[in-house]
Amino acid sequence: MKRAAAKHLIERYYHQLTEGCGNEACTNEFCASCPSFHRMDNNAAAIKALELFKINAKLCDPHPSKKGTSTAYMENSTKSSHNIICCSETKVNKQDMQTHREDFKDVNYLSEEKVYEILELCGERKDYSPLIRVIGRVFSSADALVQSFRKAKQHTKEELKSLQGKDEDKDEDEEEKAASARSMDDAEASSSRSFIGGTQSRENNVHRLGPDEISIDIDAVRRVYNKLLSNEKIETAFLNALVYLSPNVECDLTYHNVYSRDPNYLNLFVIVMENSNLHSPEYLEMALPLFCKAMSKLPLPAQAKLIRLWSKYTAAQIRRMVETFQQLITYRVISNEFSSRNLVNDDDAVVAATKCLKIMHYANIIAGDVDTGHNEEEDDEAVAESSEITLQELLGEERRNKKGPRVDPLETELGVKTIDCRKPLVSFEDFINEPLNDVLEMDKDYTFFKVETENKFSFMTCPFILNAVTKNLGLYYDNRIRMYSERRITVLYSLVQGQQLNPYLRLKVRRDYIIDDALVRLEMIAMENPADLKKQLYVEFEGEQGVDEGGVSKEFFQLVVEEIFNPDIGMFTYDESSKLFWFNTSSFETEGQFTLIGIVLGLAIYNNCILDVHFPMVVYRKLLGKKGTLRDLEDSHPVLFQSLKELLEYDGCVEDDMMITFQISQTDLFGTPVMCELKDNGNQIPVTNENRKEFVELYTEYILNKSVEKQFKAFRRGFHMVTNESPLKYLFRPEEIELLVCGSPNLDFQALEDTTEYDGGYSKNSRIVREFWEIVQAFSDEQKRLFLQFTTGTDRAPVGGLGKLKMIIAKNGPDSERLPTSHTCFNVLLLPEYCNKEKLSERLLKAITYAKGFGML
């Protein structure tokens, strides 16, 4: 048989399988018009056509092609109202066929063309009930929805050999038989897969789908939604169908492992999420919560595939889906009264929507500017274990999180982390739900986070939805519990060993020799027993009577930071243009000194103290495991960044005009130029237009990573000695860690006034209180910082701003010559009731200007 003839026969079989012969009473089991025929999609029909061609199966006659309608061969079958169909010799008139078309009871799945066909007929009759019934039937059935809106058939090589090619005169029977045999094998392998719920297995060529591919035409789905959602009655059909569909889908995913059998099951989630009205009030009550519960049951590989698919969407499309889930969370929060007895963690809809939002979070990350390379190497030396391990074994205890902080399973599945994203497609702030943060009982949520039970959900596992204040509170609980744990172990150890041990990390320092005393003591602790660093810090200034309830520690950290960043010490260099510090590559200090600086930074976070440090963002990125790149130079070395940027954009001849090589000049501690080669024989390699990108990359690598490698590794090692078991890395992004360490630079004194409490006889309406705030609000920025330093122990606002400070102003007797005093541990200002505003201003300014040291009142 010649190729052209074989191709024609196969096409006839294909049309017979997909459209039928037009005779409702057809008895051919391989004809779509046969009542007992099981509908199949285009992919399965093409393979079946090859099989039928091979066995020379029965063909119905006539066999016209489809023209303008999906009903079988309408062109020829309507030429005469008395046309005899040869398959069964049954007479079918035009009116009967029209009635059959309008009922559409045989429509088991939808395509764009089928929807438009039904819509057109409904429009002619001005009755949309047939379309509503079809939508209700298809969109409420997982099997039907999975089969709907499929992409056009993508032929395999075997099918292309059979269905395409030029007409040839020579006989090609052998080649056709081989092609058919191979297709037969594929069809048999595909048909061997079982069906879920007793229905026939879905023939979807699953093995041909790539990791990011799906078998539906998303553009067609969007066009259909745009066409139909303007009709209120049709929209109600979508709503009701989703209510019916979702519980069945949840059951399939929970008990039947349906996705592993048919990855095309993911199609229904893609189709439903294209509905732009999902966030409307009608869906929020029942349909969307049920659908979110079903979607949250997707296995990890299915979630990863959805993430990769949605990461290709536009910012507007991702934002729409994010807002859909956020709308549901907000609606549930404000319509319920959550408390410590009625936890938001127990609301299934909020939990499910948060899990769905996590899918969008990772899609947003991958869609943004991602750098999965440039990772810092892990420390060669592991953090030393506590010497108290013998006691823990005696007590039958093990130190928690010994393997370090947890890792989100989705990060492992996708091979991407939040820290890899330099700039997401949609802002991270759009994922934060403030109403949820307001009602979240963080102490309970932290407990669920640590226990990791399946029946209790913790929002700390989805940190993207939490604001910095809430995450900081979770970190505070973690640090405090760890302190209590160390204190308990110490007490038990002292009972077992019969010797007195200190349950605190006690530092006794001289104010004039604070660096020497503090760093020597910390160095001894780091070498002898690093676990002591996780005890609660207790600082005592020699010769002073202050008791450390937090305020003394605050001043200790501030004084230490002032000394460390003093240019005379030479550990860090100061950039005048950026007002930031960077590691001194030619510092005479040992690695141990930088380790101790890292310990101090970790202790500040661990003890909830704010530091006045000025590091570029790249330092915090490096602490989280990412190397510095050219983009980081803009922040840390702005002048150098601008020069390298101009080099990359230069239009002329770089080699002739700039005459630079792969050798750069650096200045040592004494101002002497030191030459550094970026690659072997760099002084002999000119920078050209072709290799300038390599030069910039090597220059950046040297400045931000290679030249400070020893200093930074030591610094990071010290930091991890304190924070290695903390959820810090899991919860916070680099910019949030900077906020955690440095506090907020914005001083909103109006927020401070609004949240301040009063004691001892003062109230918000007291004369002296009103005059006090008038004076403070009129202070300069420098005076405001001095006031904060005097009252709270630090001149920075905490995470969340001054409104989170909760300052107390208490009456300290009648009018007198005494200066105002403060308890920095508790943010309490003791203010005598001065007789007039002028005296209040003079006494207050003197107190905040000359305040230093601690004494007993």
Side-chain angles (χ1 to χ4, degrees):
M1 184 184 294
K2 295 183 179 180
R3 177 181 293 273
K7 176 182 176 183
H8 184 60
L9 277 176
I10 293 172
E11 287 178 346
R12 287 182 60 187
Y13 282 119
Y14 176 77
H15 286 298
Q16 179 175 292
L17 291 167
T18 56
E19 301 182 4
C21 64
N23 180 10
E24 289 182 309
C26 180
T27 58
N28 185 352
E29 61 178 329
F30 300 123
C31 179
S33 296
C34 178
S36 61
F37 180 78
H38 291 290
R39 288 280 178 178
M40 59 181 69
D41 67 359
N42 294 342
N43 295 343
I47 295 176
K48 190 69 176 177
L50 291 170
E51 179 185 344
L52 296 179
F53 166 75
K54 178 183 176 183
I55 63 176
N56 196 24
K58 179 181 177 181
L59 267 174
C60 291
D61 204 21
H63 45 81
S65 297
K66 175 184 176 183
K67 287 188 178 182
T69 175
S70 63
T71 304
Y73 313 128
M74 190 57 63
E75 181 184 1
N76 282 357
S77 63
T78 57
K79 284 183 178 179
S80 170
S81 60
H82 303 288
N83 187 31
I84 303 300
I85 307 299
C86 297
C87 282
S88 61
E89 304 294 334
T90 302
K91 188 179 296 183
V92 180
N93 60 41
K94 185 175 181 180
Q95 183 178 359
D96 292 337
M97 292 203 61
Q98 184 71 16
T99 302
H100 173 70
R101 287 172 56 190
E102 291 175 357
D103 288 340
F104 300 106
K105 293 180 180 179
D106 62 335
V107 176
N108 297 319
Y109 59 90
L110 288 174
S111 64
E112 184 179 16
E113 294 78 12
K114 175 61 70 176
V115 170
Y116 292 160
E117 176 195 343
I118 301 174
L119 186 62
E120 182 181 355
L121 290 173
C122 290
E124 292 174 358
R125 296 176 55 189
K126 297 183 179 179
D127 177 15
Y128 290 92
S129 57
L131 178 59
I132 292 173
R133 285 195 294 270
V134 170
I135 289 175
R137 184 169 65 252
V138 173
F139 275 77
S140 62
S141 167
D143 289 324
L145 201 54
V146 167
Q147 297 287 352
S148 298
F149 303 107
R150 290 301 183 90
K151 291 179 181 176
K153 167 72 175 176
Q154 298 294 324
H155 296 293
T156 63
K157 291 182 179 179
E158 290 83 359
E159 292 166 3
L160 289 173
K161 288 179 181 178
S162 300
L163 300 175
Q164 296 179 358
K166 300 177 180 179
D167 290 339
E168 299 177 3
D169 292 330
K170 64 180 183 178
D171 196 321
E172 296 178 343
D173 284 348
E174 294 299 326
E175 184 179 344
E176 295 296 342
K177 287 181 181 179
S180 298
R182 286 193 296 271
S183 299
M184 179 68 176
D185 292 340
D186 288 343
E188 289 174 355
S190 180
S191 65
S192 65
R193 292 182 291 115
S194 62
F195 243 45
I196 294 157
T199 58
Q200 183 186 352
S201 178
R202 302 182 184 98
E203 304 288 352
N204 297 319
N205 295 323
V206 170
H207 59 284
R208 295 191 185 120
L209 290 177
D212 303 335
E213 295 177 346
I214 57 171
S215 55
I216 61 171
D217 187 344
I218 298 178
D219 291 330
V221 174
R222 290 170 183 163
R223 289 191 294 268
V224 167
Y225 272 127
N226 290 336
K227 195 84 171 177
L228 299 182
L229 287 178
S230 58
N231 187 309
E232 185 177 338
K233 293 182 179 179
I234 296 177
E235 183 182 0
T236 303
F238 284 117
L239 173 66
N240 295 333
L242 187 58
V243 172
Y244 186 84
L245 169 74
S246 299
N248 296 330
V249 172
E250 182 183 359
C251 181
D252 281 348
L253 291 169
T254 305
Y255 303 109
H256 297 153
N257 198 22
V258 62
Y259 176 75
S260 63
R261 300 181 186 180
D262 183 7
N264 282 295
Y265 199 80
L266 213 56
N267 290 2
L268 70 87
F269 293 96
V270 179
I271 293 172
V272 171
M273 285 306 299
E274 287 300 326
N275 185 340
S276 59
N277 285 357
L278 281 180
H279 65 281
S280 61
E282 295 80 9
Y283 285 87
L284 296 178
E285 187 66 35
M286 182 180 294
L288 188 56
L290 289 173
F291 178 73
C292 287
K293 285 179 66 178
M295 187 171 170
S296 67
K297 301 295 183 182
L298 282 170
L300 211 59
Q303 293 183 36
K305 187 167 184 176
L306 270 183
I307 289 167
R308 295 188 189 99
L309 169 68
W310 285 337
S311 68
K312 298 175 183 177
Y313 281 21
T314 65
Q317 291 166 338
I318 290 180
R319 185 176 287 107
R320 176 186 61 80
M321 291 191 283
V322 169
E323 289 173 353
T324 296
F325 297 125
Q326 290 282 35
Q327 193 89 339
L328 173 58
I329 295 171
T330 302
Y331 170 76
R332 298 289 295 190
V333 168
I334 64 177
S335 60
N336 292 279
E337 295 183 1
F338 293 111
S339 64
S340 58
R341 294 181 178 273
N342 180 28
L343 297 176
V344 68
N345 306 67
D346 296 328
D347 189 293
D348 291 340
V350 174
V351 170
T354 303
K355 291 179 179 178
C356 295
L357 197 60
K358 178 187 276 192
I359 295 176
M360 300 310 307
H361 169 68
Y362 281 103
N364 182 50
I365 286 175
I366 296 177
D369 185 359
V370 178
D371 176 17
T372 55
H374 300 97
N375 297 313
E376 289 276 1
E377 297 178 0
E378 295 293 331
D379 292 331
D380 296 331
E381 300 178 16
V383 176
E385 289 289 342
S386 169
S387 61
E388 296 169 0
I389 190 66
T390 305
L391 173 67
Q392 290 170 352
E393 291 176 347
L394 179 66
L395 298 173
E397 295 184 354
E398 294 258 346
R399 188 172 298 277
R400 286 184 177 180
N401 293 336
K402 227 172 186 180
K403 297 180 181 179
R406 69 172 72 193
V407 176
D408 193 316
L410 267 177
E411 287 188 354
T412 306
E413 183 74 21
L414 294 166
V416 64
K417 298 176 289 187
T418 303
I419 183 64
D420 293 332
C421 184
R422 300 302 300 253
K423 184 179 181 182
L425 191 63
V426 176
S427 172
F428 284 126
E429 282 67 31
D430 288 353
F431 287 82
I432 298 173
N433 190 289
E434 293 294 349
L436 173 66
N437 282 265
D438 292 339
V439 301
L440 184 61
E441 299 288 336
M442 203 58 198
D443 54 343
K444 304 287 196 308
D445 192 82
Y446 172 77
T447 303
F448 302 151
F449 178 74
K450 296 300 289 185
V451 174
E452 297 185 59
T453 58
E454 291 185 2
N455 58 341
K456 286 294 184 180
F457 175 79
S458 169
F459 288 94
M460 287 179 68
T461 59
C462 300
F464 56 85
I465 203 171
L466 305 177
N467 58 34
V469 176
T470 306
K471 287 191 275 191
N472 185 40
L473 186 58
L475 185 66
Y476 172 81
Y477 285 128
D478 184 81
N479 294 340
R480 288 293 162 180
I481 289 174
R482 207 173 299 280
M483 289 177 187
Y484 297 150
S485 176
E486 293 294 339
R487 193 181 306 171
R488 172 174 168 267
I489 290 174
T490 302
V491 171
L492 291 173
Y493 191 83
S494 64
L495 292 174
V496 173
Q497 296 294 321
Q499 54 182 330
Q500 188 67 30
L501 296 176
N502 194 341
Y504 297 95
L505 174 59
R506 187 179 293 273
L507 295 178
K508 187 173 183 178
V509 296
R510 296 167 292 177
R511 189 176 287 272
D512 293 336
Y513 302 94
I514 190 168
I515 291 293
D516 294 337
D517 293 350
L519 297 190
V520 167
R521 176 67 179 143
L522 289 174
E523 186 174 16
M524 292 174 60
I525 294 171
M527 289 189 300
E528 293 175 1
N529 191 12
D532 282 354
L533 295 172
K534 297 183 176 107
K535 294 178 180 178
Q536 184 175 348
L537 181 64
Y538 188 93
V539 177
E540 180 182 348
F541 284 103
E542 192 172 284
E544 300 182 19
Q545 297 174 305
V547 177
D548 190 6
E549 291 290 343
V552 180
S553 295
K554 291 177 185 177
E555 179 153 353
F556 163 76
F557 280 117
Q558 178 161 347
L559 294 174
V560 168
V561 166
E562 287 178 0
E563 290 293 325
I564 288 173
F565 290 96
N566 188 330
D568 295 338
I569 293 182
M571 296 185 71
F572 297 92
T573 58
Y574 183 69
D575 190 302
E576 289 289 347
S577 58
S578 63
K579 309 296 183 185
L580 299 172
F581 288 91
W582 185 245
F583 297 89
N584 190 347
T585 58
S586 55
S587 173
F588 291 141
E589 301 295 336
T590 63
E591 291 182 31
Q593 294 293 91
F594 284 97
T595 299
L596 296 174
I597 305 306
I599 292 175
V600 169
L601 187 66
L603 284 174
I605 294 177
Y606 192 62
N607 289 272
N608 203 32
C609 291
I610 296 172
L611 300 181
D612 186 22
V613 298
H614 302 278
F615 280 132
M617 188 61 65
V618 64
V619 170
Y620 302 104
R621 285 183 56 80
K622 286 168 73 69
L623 281 175
L624 293 182
K626 301 298 292 185
K627 287 185 176 182
T629 62
L630 178 62
R631 294 180 62 170
D632 296 305
L633 276 180
E634 185 175 9
D635 180 32
S636 62
H637 301 75
V639 176
L640 176 60
F641 171 80
Q642 190 61 35
S643 299
L644 294 179
K645 183 181 177 183
E646 291 174 359
L647 171 63
L648 290 174
E649 297 172 351
Y650 187 67
D651 293 331
C653 180
V654 173
E655 183 177 3
D656 295 339
D657 297 346
M658 298 189 178
M659 294 184 292
I660 53 179
T661 65
F662 278 77
Q663 184 184 59
I664 61 174
S665 174
Q666 295 287 293
T667 304
D668 65 11
L669 197 61
F670 303 103
T672 306
V674 178
M675 306 308 292
C676 307
E677 293 190 350
L678 300 179
K679 58 193 302 187
D680 294 340
N681 300 318
N683 62 329
Q684 301 176 9
I685 304 175
V687 177
T688 64
N689 292 57
E690 289 73 26
N691 64 15
R692 58 182 171 182
K693 186 176 180 180
E694 179 190 9
F695 172 79
V696 169
E697 290 174 352
L698 291 174
Y699 202 150
T700 303
E701 171 69 16
Y702 179 82
I703 294 296
L704 295 181
N705 304 312
K706 190 175 180 180
S707 64
V708 297
E709 184 175 9
K710 290 183 179 179
Q711 293 91 331
F712 181 78
K713 275 192 173 182
F715 173 78
R716 185 179 62 186
R717 191 182 308 118
F719 182 78
H720 286 168
M721 280 183 181
V722 185
T723 63
N724 65 316
E725 296 177 355
S726 167
L728 180 76
K729 189 174 182 179
Y730 182 86
L731 293 176
F732 294 89
R733 303 191 306 274
E735 57 271 23
E736 292 175 323
I737 292 183
E738 181 186 36
L739 185 64
L740 199 66
V741 173
C742 307
S744 174
N746 300 320
L747 303 182
D748 184 0
F749 269 74
Q750 186 59 52
L752 178 63
E753 180 180 349
D754 293 340
T755 56
T756 295
E757 299 175 0
Y758 304 93
D759 195 12
Y762 285 155
S763 70
K764 187 175 184 180
N765 298 320
S766 299
R767 173 193 60 83
I768 191 168
V769 170
R770 294 198 307 270
E771 292 175 349
F772 169 81
W773 285 116
E774 289 173 5
I775 294 169
V776 171
Q777 294 284 11
F779 277 170
S780 65
D781 288 345
E782 182 61 30
Q783 288 173 328
K784 286 180 178 179
R785 293 191 179 279
L786 287 173
F787 171 76
L788 282 178
Q789 179 68 45
F790 172 75
T791 310
T792 68
T794 177
D795 63 354
R796 312 274 291 186
V799 177
L802 290 178
K804 302 294 181 181
L805 200 55
K806 289 184 171 45
M807 188 175 75
I808 298 174
I809 298 178
K811 186 175 180 178
N812 192 24
D815 180 31
S816 68
E817 296 303 313
R818 296 183 61 184
L819 293 172
T821 53
S822 66
H823 295 305
T824 56
C825 306
F826 309 105
N827 304 328
V828 175
L829 176 65
L830 301 176
L831 192 66
E833 192 172 9
Y834 297 112
C835 59
N836 54 56
K837 184 176 180 181
E838 290 73 20
K839 186 174 182 179
L840 170 61
S841 177
E842 183 268 331
R843 296 278 88 186
L844 183 60
L845 279 172
K846 183 172 287 188
I848 66 176
T849 304
Y850 299 104
K852 183 176 268 192
F854 292 88
M856 299 297 290
L857 297 177

